[in-house]
Amino acid sequence: MERGSSEPPTARSASAHAPATPATSSAPSAASAPAASTAPMHIPRSASMSCHTPRSAGAKKRRGASALPRSMSFDPSLLHNNGHTAFANGTGVGIRETGVVEKLLTSYGFIQCSERQARLFFHCSQYNGNLQDLKIGDDVEFEVSLDKRTGKPIAVKLVKIKPEVLPEERISGQVVSAIPTHLDGKSAPGQVPTGSVCYERNGEVFYLTYTPDDVERNMHLDTGDRVSFYMETNKHTGAVSARNIVLVKKKQMRCQGVVCATKEAFGFIERGDVVKEIFFHYSEFKGDLEALQAGDDVEFSIKERNGKEVATDVRLLPQGTVIFEDISIEHFEGTVAKVIPKVPSKNQNDPLPGRIGARINFSEKELPFGEKDTKSKVTLLDGDHVRFNISVDRRDKLERATNIEILPDTFQFTKESREMGVIAAMRDGFGFIKCVDRDARMFFHFSEVLEESPLHISDEVEFTVVPVSRLERSLAKDMLSAQRNHAVRIKKLPKGTVSFHVQSEQRFIGQVDREATPASAAANKNVSPSKAKEKDAEEGVIAYEDCGVKLTVPYYIKDLEGAALPQLGDKVEFSISEVKRTGLQSAVSIKILNRTGNSKRLLGFVATLKDNFGFIETANHDQEIFFHYSEMCGDVDNLELGDTVEYTLSKGKGNKVSAEKVTKVAPVNGIGEDVGTTVLLGKVTRPLRSVDPSQTEYQGLIEVTEEGASKGQSYPFGIVSMASKADCLQKGELVKFQLCTVVHTSQKMACHIVPQRRALVESVKDQFGFITYEVGESKKLFFHVKEVQDGLELQTGDEVEFSVILNQRTGKCSACNVRRVSEGPKPVATPRPERLVNRLKSITLDDASAPRLVIVRQPRGPDNSKGFSIERKARQPGVID
């Protein structure tokens, strides 16, 4: 057998196992033994590599035999080292050698001799110590003996030699290459994975290898970790390695994450490597703390303080650096299997409590989702048909549904009851719906609107009503949100879809049995117009017959056709409308057929409008009638000066006459058709009473001033006489006008009055100015730059034409329609006085009596610069620029 082989000695034959005979019966043999031992066999050093005899062909066949009988074939009692006087290596009895365990199997192994080129077999029973501590590469000391059966040298009496540790102090170094952890048993049999460390001496860097057994407490080391160790030199190979390695400091790894919460002095970061949050103090943030906010991407190091991990050296990263998840481009459709509860229970710790069932890649899946995974805050219900993307968390590979949106056909899958209504009111973030099937208005949040387009008042909508639990009402932030029912999942409908009434196609004829009164007419006359609109009008009653049965039906002024109000006994034609919700009927589309009442309706023209009342100029233009806004049938805001109205006269307390049931009608030509073509010049001798309330007469007077037959004659005028009804004619103003004849009185009256005003601009400020024109007690007339025609920029001294308007509520006048007639003189720069010019010419730089400039504070601009970008040049004495 070759020495390089790893096979043990060949198995003994059966005769070899016979017990030895006693020494008395084998004297010749015993005698011959010393003789044999005294004649040592000389083996040259070159033959030490092949101590075993060559194996025969039969022996080669036995090489494939089982390892178990081969390991059991060795008998330690057959060793005959006692009495040996010669060995294969020529050594004497009791001399011990050293070597390295090269191969170690279950019951035997091989040793590579350190002092000579030999490889010896040994049986594990010859090891003196715990066999579990013996490993490949260990240094051992042994004696050499011969196997009686084969005559080959083997190692006996093995003792493990403790490694020699250099008596130096610990060396500080760093892990250069960590022991690979990805082998997972794939390395060659007997091969031990190694790593390397480095240390520095006198400016030079040295590298040492180490094995997992060289690390204290089996600590896992990473590249970059700071360590300390001893050096050990293998006396057989001379190789130096690191032993007894202790971790000094772990390498600080820079982690990434997103700021998820900020408090007064600290915050929390959601880590990007694991699903976990980590604390950080603001003192650890390196940057502008005012700019830090939730959602910012950051990087940080991790340290342990008081047994807990904290983030240190926190720094901002560009937005979008940290990515937690990958979202699929493909959209999927599914059904909501479990909705997120509005009020979470005490035991609920799942951050993704919702569930969506979908068929993905031919298999059914149930994906979780959270509050932030919906595209809108519209309430989800069980069974909703939704579309979504799939998000995969990079940290733990968790899949969830995100970008969830409700599909339009979802209402076909859910069993919810849908209602209809009209948007009645809207506030900041919420509103109310007037329901078709409910008396109360339904509260809703803007977040419950399905469409992205904003809602407006009077929009028709479809919605679902959900009850609000008692716990939700207790947690509501305001009283409105705490109402018992809310409208959710609001969908906008086309105009004309929602109808609160059902109107009959049949037309009925009846008679007014009781007159309807305008809104708040029966209420306090001093009520403000805004509050008057909120009060419901008092209903009237119409009596009619249907199939021979006498019936009555209520009606309201808002349901009239035309501006005329029906009076008691008037014959009317109407349709009947029935409220869907209550079944109540009322007359609509009411048209007056003929009038039987005795009350007379009069025509007039709005002359004055105050805060909550006004005056009507009669058809004869000679007096004005008071009316309160509560008597106005219609919107007061649509009423303007000069509008034609219809009214009824009534007497109140103290026999004061006032107008009732005031209704705006189509414009009527109040000045008649007989209008002269001659344009006259005149002067206002008396204004309207709306301009001067102290006078008793309503009409104003204009005196003709131009030469002619009518010079000195005066003509009255009213509100309809003004070319501009808003113009405010003052006493003494010059005007151009024409003459007309009043139809009812045949009296001549001024009409188409245009004032002739010219004055100079006194001053112009930023957005307003004043004109030198006397109005009442004021010597100046205010105007706004928006009233200047053609967008011209007026200057002081410009001559302008203008109109004067009176603010009915404040009683103050201002100019409008300002037109520049001519420009004023341009301002001329005043030359410097001669004495100053002579003074400047006489000053020299050496003149001690000349005025000096002392800089108290250097000038600075808004950007904290010195403020002057143009280079300033020195002035030459006596030279004027």
Side-chain angles (χ1 to χ4, degrees):
M1 178 179 178
E2 297 296 332
R3 183 171 296 278
S5 171
S6 60
E7 294 294 328
T10 55
R12 286 180 174 273
S13 62
S15 61
H17 289 277
T21 55
T24 54
S25 61
S26 57
S29 298
S32 63
S37 60
T38 56
M41 180 179 60
H42 178 73
I43 300 176
R45 295 289 293 178
S46 60
S48 62
M49 292 295 295
S50 56
C51 296
H52 297 275
T53 58
R55 185 181 298 274
S56 61
K60 288 183 180 180
K61 289 182 182 180
R62 288 196 298 269
R63 178 172 291 191
S66 171
L68 182 59
R70 292 173 66 86
S71 62
M72 295 297 291
S73 63
F74 178 76
D75 188 356
S77 63
L78 299 179
L79 292 174
H80 51 284
N81 56 340
N82 292 332
H84 259 1
T85 59
F87 295 90
N89 59 354
T91 60
V93 179
I95 298 177
R96 298 184 66 81
E97 293 187 36
T98 59
V100 179
V101 177
E102 184 188 59
K103 187 173 183 179
L104 183 63
L105 298 178
T106 306
S107 58
Y108 63 93
F110 289 88
I111 298 174
Q112 179 67 45
C113 298
S114 299
E115 300 172 358
R116 56 192 175 96
Q117 294 295 326
R119 188 169 181 264
L120 302 178
F121 169 86
F122 74 92
H123 194 272
C124 291
S125 61
Q126 290 295 315
Y127 176 69
N128 184 16
N130 188 358
L131 193 60
Q132 300 297 326
D133 293 337
L134 190 63
K135 296 180 178 60
I136 295 176
D138 285 349
D139 291 333
V140 292
E141 187 181 60
F142 57 91
E143 294 181 8
V144 179
S145 179
L146 294 177
D147 190 341
K148 285 185 178 181
R149 184 177 56 80
T150 63
K152 295 178 180 180
I154 58 174
V156 296
K157 299 182 180 180
L158 277 76
V159 178
K160 184 177 179 180
I161 303 174
K162 293 184 180 181
E164 182 182 1
V165 179
L166 298 178
E168 299 177 355
E169 295 184 357
R170 279 189 169 273
I171 300 174
S172 296
Q174 185 175 345
V175 177
V176 178
S177 175
I179 296 175
T181 57
H182 60 277
L183 296 177
D184 297 331
K186 297 179 182 178
S187 57
Q191 179 181 354
V192 179
T194 61
S196 63
V197 296
C198 71
Y199 67 98
E200 183 181 358
R201 282 287 174 86
N202 299 326
E204 293 186 71
V205 178
F206 300 91
Y207 296 83
L208 304 175
T209 60
Y210 72 95
T211 65
D213 293 335
D214 296 326
V215 182
E216 297 288 341
R217 297 193 299 272
N218 294 324
M219 180 71 71
H220 175 72
L221 299 179
D222 294 314
T223 301
D225 288 349
R226 305 292 299 178
V227 293
S228 68
F229 52 88
Y230 290 111
M231 284 195 305
E232 178 191 44
T233 303
N234 191 317
K235 64 181 181 180
H236 309 298
T237 62
V240 182
S241 61
R243 291 271 186 175
N244 302 99
I245 302 174
V246 176
L247 176 66
V248 175
K249 184 180 180 181
K250 291 290 289 184
K251 177 187 176 182
Q252 282 196 0
M253 301 295 293
R254 294 294 286 174
C255 300
Q256 294 182 343
V258 175
V259 178
C260 59
T262 55
K263 305 297 182 181
E264 291 184 0
F266 60 91
F268 292 91
I269 300 171
E270 185 175 357
R271 293 173 59 174
D273 53 345
V274 293
V275 184
K276 186 178 180 182
E277 292 181 2
I278 187 169
F279 168 91
F280 76 99
H281 195 272
Y282 285 168
S283 60
E284 294 290 345
F285 180 69
K286 311 301 181 185
D288 184 8
L289 192 59
E290 297 294 332
L292 184 66
Q293 58 185 356
D296 285 345
D297 293 356
V298 292
E299 68 171 359
F300 55 93
S301 300
I302 298 178
K303 288 186 178 180
E304 189 170 317
R305 292 177 181 170
N306 298 328
K308 294 183 179 180
E309 288 184 339
V310 296
T312 60
D313 191 20
V314 183
R315 300 178 185 270
L316 278 177
L317 292 175
Q319 204 68 12
T321 303
V322 182
I323 301 176
F324 291 123
E325 55 194 12
D326 297 311
I327 299 177
S328 65
I329 301 176
E330 182 183 359
H331 284 84
F332 302 89
E333 293 185 5
T335 304
V336 176
K338 180 183 177 183
V339 298
I340 301 174
K342 291 286 185 181
V343 181
S345 61
K346 295 181 180 179
N347 299 327
Q348 179 182 326
N349 296 321
D350 189 0
L352 305 173
R355 296 292 183 270
I356 291 179
R359 186 172 182 81
I360 301 173
N361 297 331
F362 307 102
S363 63
E364 296 293 335
K365 277 190 175 182
E366 192 172 71
L367 300 172
F369 68 93
E371 290 184 357
K372 296 182 180 179
D373 291 320
T374 55
K375 273 193 171 181
S376 66
K377 294 184 179 180
V378 177
T379 301
L380 288 176
L381 298 179
D382 289 339
D384 266 338
H385 190 202
V386 294
R387 181 170 55 194
F388 59 93
N389 300 99
I390 294 180
S391 169
V392 180
D393 197 308
R394 292 184 174 183
R395 298 168 292 180
D396 58 359
K397 307 304 179 184
L398 174 67
E399 291 185 343
R400 78 174 198 279
T402 189
N403 297 333
I404 303 168
E405 55 182 336
I406 300 176
L407 293 175
D409 62 349
T410 187
F411 302 111
Q412 302 174 8
F413 295 87
T414 58
K415 298 179 181 179
E416 60 191 301
S417 176
R418 302 287 284 172
E419 298 186 18
M420 291 191 293
V422 175
I423 304 297
M426 297 177 68
R427 300 288 188 271
D428 186 15
F430 64 91
F432 292 91
I433 300 173
K434 182 181 178 182
C435 306
V436 173
D437 302 320
R438 296 174 184 260
D439 291 332
R441 296 192 303 175
M442 193 61 58
F443 173 85
F444 74 94
H445 277 285
F446 286 176
S447 59
E448 290 291 346
V449 182
L450 291 172
E451 291 86 359
E452 294 183 359
S453 58
L455 289 178
H456 302 89
I457 293 178
S458 301
D459 280 350
E460 300 175 12
V461 293
E462 182 185 59
F463 56 92
T464 302
V465 177
V466 295
V468 180
S469 65
R470 183 177 300 177
L471 181 57
E472 288 181 85
R473 290 200 298 272
S474 65
L475 297 176
K477 296 181 179 178
D478 49 54
M479 292 300 295
L480 294 173
S481 301
Q483 293 188 1
R484 293 184 179 276
N485 293 325
H486 284 186
V488 298
R489 303 157 67 86
I490 300 168
K491 181 181 179 182
K492 193 174 180 179
L493 298 176
K495 285 288 185 183
T497 305
V498 179
S499 175
F500 292 88
H501 306 83
V502 178
Q503 185 171 331
S504 65
E505 297 180 359
Q506 181 183 357
R507 298 286 288 176
F508 299 89
I509 296 177
Q511 190 174 11
V512 176
D513 196 37
R514 187 178 73 201
E515 292 184 19
T517 57
S520 69
N524 186 2
K525 299 292 184 180
N526 295 325
V527 71
S528 66
S530 59
K531 292 182 179 179
K533 293 178 187 178
E534 298 176 0
K535 291 184 174 290
D536 293 331
E538 186 176 343
E539 65 182 25
V541 177
I542 298 175
Y544 71 102
E545 287 189 5
D546 185 14
C547 299
V549 180
K550 292 184 178 182
L551 301 170
T552 59
V553 63
Y555 77 96
Y556 300 90
I557 290 179
K558 63 181 180 65
D559 296 321
L560 297 176
E561 287 187 356
L565 296 178
Q567 299 178 3
L568 187 64
D570 284 351
K571 189 175 183 180
V572 294
E573 183 184 39
F574 61 93
S575 299
I576 293 180
S577 173
E578 182 177 322
V579 181
K580 289 182 178 180
R581 184 179 70 253
T582 60
L584 295 177
Q585 294 182 341
S586 62
V588 296
S589 303
I590 304 168
K591 184 186 297 183
I592 300 175
L593 298 179
N594 55 40
R595 175 156 287 172
T596 59
N598 296 325
S599 59
K600 188 177 181 181
R601 300 286 287 174
L602 302 175
L603 283 177
F605 309 93
V606 177
T608 306
L609 293 172
K610 299 292 185 180
D611 285 338
N612 55 6
F613 65 91
F615 290 92
I616 300 173
E617 181 181 296
T618 62
N620 295 334
H621 314 290
D622 56 353
Q623 58 181 333
E624 59 183 356
I625 306 296
F626 170 86
F627 77 99
H628 195 276
Y629 286 168
S630 61
E631 294 292 343
M632 181 66 195
C633 301
D635 191 357
V636 180
D637 294 334
N638 295 330
L639 209 57
E640 296 180 358
L641 292 176
D643 283 348
T644 306
V645 294
E646 189 180 55
Y647 62 95
T648 303
L649 290 177
S650 67
K651 289 186 179 182
K653 293 181 180 180
N655 289 329
K656 291 184 178 181
V657 179
S658 63
E660 290 184 346
K661 301 178 182 177
V662 181
T663 306
K664 184 178 177 179
V665 296
V668 175
N669 186 6
I671 60 176
E673 299 178 356
D674 184 18
V675 179
T677 57
T678 305
V679 178
L680 302 175
L681 293 177
K683 181 175 68 173
V684 177
T685 58
R686 185 179 71 197
L688 292 174
R689 190 162 63 183
S690 60
V691 177
D692 185 8
S694 62
Q695 67 187 35
T696 57
E697 297 83 359
Y698 163 71
Q699 288 181 313
L701 287 178
I702 297 177
E703 181 182 344
V704 179
T705 58
E706 68 176 328
E707 297 293 334
S710 59
K711 182 179 179 180
Q713 292 186 10
S714 296
Y715 297 97
F717 68 93
I719 190 67
V720 296
S721 303
M722 306 296 298
S724 174
K725 304 299 187 292
D727 212 337
C728 178
L729 287 179
Q730 303 289 324
K731 183 179 180 179
E733 286 191 316
L734 299 178
V735 295
K736 289 182 179 180
F737 66 96
Q738 295 169 272
L739 294 177
C740 67
T741 303
V742 180
V743 177
H744 301 290
T745 62
S746 300
Q747 181 186 8
K748 291 291 184 179
M749 184 178 73
C751 65
H752 299 163
I753 302 172
V754 178
Q756 301 296 299
R757 301 188 183 99
R758 284 196 179 188
L760 299 178
V761 176
E762 182 187 71
S763 62
V764 179
K765 305 296 183 182
D766 185 20
Q767 295 293 325
F768 62 91
F770 292 93
I771 300 173
T772 307
Y773 189 79
E774 185 175 349
V775 180
E777 298 178 356
S778 177
K779 302 294 183 181
K780 296 184 293 185
L781 184 65
F782 171 88
F783 73 94
H784 197 278
V785 293
K786 292 182 179 178
E787 296 293 342
V788 180
Q789 296 182 359
D790 301 328
L792 297 176
E793 185 175 347
L794 297 180
Q795 302 291 336
T796 301
D798 290 350
E799 187 179 12
V800 293
E801 287 183 350
F802 53 91
S803 299
V804 178
I805 58 172
L806 174 66
N807 189 319
Q808 297 282 351
R809 286 166 172 75
T810 63
K812 295 182 179 181
C813 294
S814 61
C816 67
N817 301 326
V818 182
R819 184 175 66 87
R820 185 167 69 185
V821 177
S822 63
E823 295 187 25
K826 298 293 183 181
V828 179
T830 305
R832 287 185 174 183
E834 188 67 24
R835 59 179 179 79
L836 180 59
V837 174
N838 295 332
R839 172 66 174 161
L840 291 174
K841 288 182 178 180
S842 64
I843 293 177
T844 63
L845 295 177
D846 299 330
D847 189 359
S849 63
R852 298 294 181 181
L853 177 66
V854 179
I855 298 177
V856 179
R857 176 177 58 85
Q858 289 288 348
R860 290 197 177 276
D863 57 350
N864 209 27
S865 65
K866 291 189 176 181
F868 296 103
S869 59
I870 301 175
E871 183 180 357
R872 310 184 79 179
K873 299 180 180 178
R875 186 182 66 83
Q876 295 297 327
V879 179
I880 302 176
D881 294 336

